[in-house]
Amino acid sequence: QSALTQPASVSGSPGQSITISCTGTSSDIGGYNFVSWYQQHPGKAPKLMIYEVTNRPSGVPDRFSGSKSGNMASLTISGLQAEDEAVYFCSSFASSTTVVVFGGGTKVTVL
Amino acid sequence: QLQLQESGPGLVKPSETLSLTCTVSGGSISSSSHHWGWIRQPPGKGLEWLGSIYYSGSTYYNPSLKSRVTISVDTSKNQFSLRLSSVTAADTAVYYCARFRTGSTGDYWGQGTLVTVSS
């Protein structure tokens, strides 16, 4: 069982917007602004898409955005494209000892 | 461009110790701003952080695996290593090494290596 809770799957049509939720506790997501989101295509390593809740690394399209409210973080993909079909994982800093916790992953399907 | 590469046996027998090394190129492992971690992913499942190490040697482990995990660093070789003892089939997974910066953002990842536990 993962420390952070994500829906197993989310789907949308090309051009639509989808949002993936990531629920934690006050000890992780709610306690720090250190939420990251990763995209993973089959057979590939995770790729950082969002860091520190809202920031995009260089090269990540601006249709990917992140937010947080209380103990829940969200990743929104606007203008969904075929290449966005992948599994998305959230993660958070949790404490000075348990430094990284992950969500179970959400499979995004582009219809 | 920073690159990380995992290496080690792809097959380990039950009850033995899994050992992997991550070689960092294109940058130095001796950075106080980063920690270097191991993450695994069982087939078809999610990501699990195993532990991290700073170049100074300070380590942080997943509490659920702490008794079996040891991470070490060799700054002279720009490498860090994972040892997981008493493995079972449940330890079969793709093992990734990654660089984490402030707030545990994993900004660089290795390609991953599949380790199968089987007799």
Side-chain angles (χ1 to χ4, degrees):
Chain A
Q1 186 173 354
S2 301
L4 306 178
T5 301
Q6 298 180 235
S9 63
V10 172
S11 62
S13 299
Q16 286 187 330
S17 293
I18 61 167
T19 297
I20 303 167
S21 62
C22 174
T23 304
T25 69
S26 58
S27 297
D28 38 64
I29 291 177
Y32 310 94
N33 287 321
F34 289 131
V35 176
S36 300
W37 290 91
Y38 302 90
Q39 176 191 66
Q40 187 180 38
H41 287 111
K44 300 295 187 181
K47 174 187 176 184
L48 180 66
M49 303 299 284
I50 296 287
Y51 66 97
E52 294 172 13
V53 181
T54 61
N55 297 303
R56 281 187 311 276
S58 174
V60 172
D62 61 5
R63 52 201 180 77
F64 289 86
S65 62
S67 63
K68 189 188 89 166
S69 178
N71 297 335
M72 189 174 78
S74 299
L75 173 71
T76 297
I77 310 175
S78 304
L80 197 61
Q81 298 184 8
E83 59 261 36
D84 299 333
E85 186 162 292
V87 178
Y88 292 82
F89 293 93
C90 60
S91 78
S92 175
F93 178 81
S95 73
S96 59
T97 52
T98 307
V99 294
V100 185
V101 290
F102 286 101
T106 299
K107 174 76 168 84
V108 168
T109 300
V110 181
L111 302 172
Chain B
Q1 177 79 348
L2 192 76
Q3 293 186 323
L4 292 81
Q5 178 68 57
E6 306 89 350
S7 59
L11 181 64
V12 181
K13 290 182 168 55
S15 80
E16 294 190 345
T17 296
L18 178 159
S19 295
L20 295 173
T21 295
C22 182
T23 301
V24 179
S25 59
S28 175
I29 202 170
S30 299
S31 167
S32 59
S33 301
H34 302 96
H35 58 95
W36 306 87
W38 288 96
I39 306 94
R40 71 180 180 181
Q41 185 174 33
K45 296 189 177 181
L47 301 171
E48 179 180 33
W49 172 74
L50 304 182
S52 290
I53 190 166
Y54 282 89
Y55 82 98
S56 62
S58 298
T59 52
Y60 303 87
Y61 298 127
N62 186 322
S64 68
L65 293 163
K66 187 173 183 178
S67 62
R68 297 199 293 134
V69 174
T70 302
I71 297 175
S72 58
V73 65
D74 186 336
T75 55
S76 67
K77 295 181 179 180
N78 232 29
Q79 295 177 333
F80 63 106
S81 299
L82 169 73
R83 288 173 58 84
L84 180 65
S85 63
S86 305
V87 298
T88 69
D91 295 309
T92 292
V94 174
Y95 285 76
Y96 296 99
C97 59
R99 186 184 84 165
F100 290 93
R101 60 184 195 216
T102 303
S104 294
T105 296
D107 55 359
Y108 288 93
W109 293 64
Q111 65 185 24
T113 187
L114 174 63
V115 179
T116 301
V117 178
S118 175
S119 56

